[in-house]
Amino acid sequence: MACVSPDGKPTESGAKMLRALRAGSKFPEEVAQETGLPLFRVRSGLRELSQADLVVEKTGKYEITDKGTALV
Amino acid sequence: MEETKEQIGHMPRIGEMAPAFEAVTTHGMLKLEDFKGSWLILFSHPADFTPVCTTEFMAFAKIYPELQKRGVELLGLSVDSVSSHIAWARNVEEKTGVKIPFPIIADLNKEVSLAFGMIHPGQSKTETVRCVFIIDPNQKIRTILYYPLSTGRNMDEILRLIDALQTTDKHGVATPANWRPGDKVVVPPPNTQEMAEERLKQGYECIDWYLCKKKL
């Protein structure tokens, strides 16, 4: 996992994405712009964060969950 | 002995959509669709910790900033494991100071290699040959290059191809032999006699009605 460590905590890039979502839900393109990470990394990272219940996707936008907020 | 389809896989062609995949990489699980909207160079190499491949990876890393300026991502592939890729990338950085900034697919089960026709049993039954697939933002294959195991790739040509393809898409023109950015481009040939006659009055540099060039 590139964005979530085996212990369930976000990696550095995962935490960057979570912090970018603290202010509100965003499209992957907006997260990429804010974090400076390549779009492909953001898309795959958000997918991983979603599988770990740290973010949730609603109609293309991602928002941070309470579990995600507690980790950053 | 004749090779089976299972050993060779599918041979994709220019103009076809790139085969979708989900693969383990040094940057986590990546899908082809994660690259949608960007140009992508998917390239394979025979094996980690081999001399020609090491020179190629250093060369790809060197042109990566230029590729990024053009909206192009790089994705390497071999049938080695992620641990091997990580160890090799770290070794390259330690010995040469060159950091490998792009992901590398660990195609242990050869799923991606076979989908892209990267295994050529006449060269090696187990390793991928040196392939380059240039995939456009709509995920269509626009260029395919195959190099033998013994010959390292030419980065200038890969950059030139990207420039040529992007120029073609932007301006609806073709590019002549040995074209470089800034050179004249080829105006598409006319489809009717009327268009052929009009073309000669348009101030293009024409050898004849079917071969006209212009400056962009």
Side-chain angles (χ1 to χ4, degrees):
Chain A
M1 300 280 266
C3 288
V4 184
S5 302
D7 63 3
K9 289 183 183 158
T11 59
E12 199 180 316
S13 57
K16 248 187 190 180
M17 289 182 227
L18 290 176
R19 281 196 292 273
L21 294 172
R22 277 195 302 203
S25 61
K26 289 186 174 78
F27 287 109
E29 290 79 4
E30 296 170 307
V31 177
Q33 197 164 16
E34 195 168 324
T35 58
L37 292 165
L39 183 55
F40 75 87
R41 280 291 302 273
V42 170
R43 284 176 177 152
S44 67
L46 289 172
R47 200 163 53 236
E48 275 182 30
L49 294 170
S50 174
Q51 283 159 3
D53 298 322
L54 303 182
V55 302
V56 62
E57 189 249 319
K58 286 177 188 166
T59 59
K61 278 188 161 184
Y62 286 82
E63 67 183 51
I64 191 165
T65 61
D66 291 342
K67 191 178 165 188
T69 306
L71 293 174
V72 286
Chain B
M1 193 178 87
E2 199 176 320
E3 307 299 344
T4 65
K5 198 168 173 150
E6 288 71 33
Q7 285 174 302
I8 299 166
H10 174 66
M11 295 293 283
R13 293 175 176 86
I14 291 175
E16 289 180 1
M17 295 304 287
F21 61 78
E22 182 171 15
V24 177
T25 80
T26 49
H27 290 203
M29 287 296 285
L30 291 177
K31 295 182 180 187
L32 175 67
E33 67 189 49
D34 292 334
F35 294 91
K36 211 165 192 176
S38 302
W39 288 80
L40 173 66
I41 297 176
L42 170 66
F43 68 99
S44 58
H45 67 279
D48 297 345
F49 293 101
T50 51
V52 178
C53 300
T54 302
T55 64
E56 287 188 311
F57 263 64
M58 289 164 62
F60 273 119
K62 198 172 168 191
I63 65 163
Y64 188 54
E66 280 302 315
L67 291 171
Q68 283 189 305
K69 280 185 208 164
R70 293 158 171 82
V72 184
E73 289 295 343
L74 273 174
L75 178 58
L77 177 150
S78 81
V79 297
D80 297 291
S81 68
V82 162
S83 302
S84 170
H85 287 335
I86 293 170
W88 183 40
R90 287 173 65 88
N91 183 260
V92 170
E93 187 175 357
E94 190 188 311
K95 301 290 180 194
T96 68
V98 176
K99 194 176 174 72
I100 306 300
F102 47 82
I104 312 166
I105 293 175
D107 196 32
L108 282 172
N109 59 10
K110 301 191 180 81
E111 231 170 72
V112 183
S113 312
L114 291 171
F116 280 83
M118 292 169 166
I119 308 251
H120 293 201
Q123 280 269 288
S124 168
K125 286 187 171 58
T126 53
E127 295 171 324
T128 45
V129 291
R130 301 180 198 284
C131 304
V132 178
F133 286 85
I134 300 182
I135 299 168
D136 75 12
N138 297 318
Q139 312 226 289
K140 190 181 276 187
I141 297 171
R142 299 290 297 275
T143 300
I144 302 172
L145 302 172
Y146 287 112
Y147 281 61
L149 297 178
S150 57
T151 309
R153 283 160 278 205
N154 185 314
M155 300 300 141
D156 283 345
E157 174 60 0
I158 290 170
L159 272 176
R160 195 190 77 92
L161 274 164
I162 290 286
D163 285 332
L165 289 167
Q166 293 185 344
T167 298
T168 292
D169 285 2
K170 191 172 174 190
H171 300 283
V173 295
T175 50
N178 300 321
W179 177 87
R180 291 270 172 192
D183 291 353
K184 287 178 181 157
V185 295
V186 173
V187 184
N191 297 322
T192 64
Q193 195 166 349
E194 185 186 19
M195 284 164 71
E197 282 160 15
E198 279 174 8
R199 157 158 306 189
L200 294 171
K201 299 173 201 155
Q202 280 173 336
Y204 298 143
E205 179 191 304
C206 292
I207 288 175
D208 206 336
W209 62 272
Y210 65 90
L211 175 51
C212 293
K213 291 183 188 174
K214 68 172 183 180
K215 266 268 188 223
L216 285 176

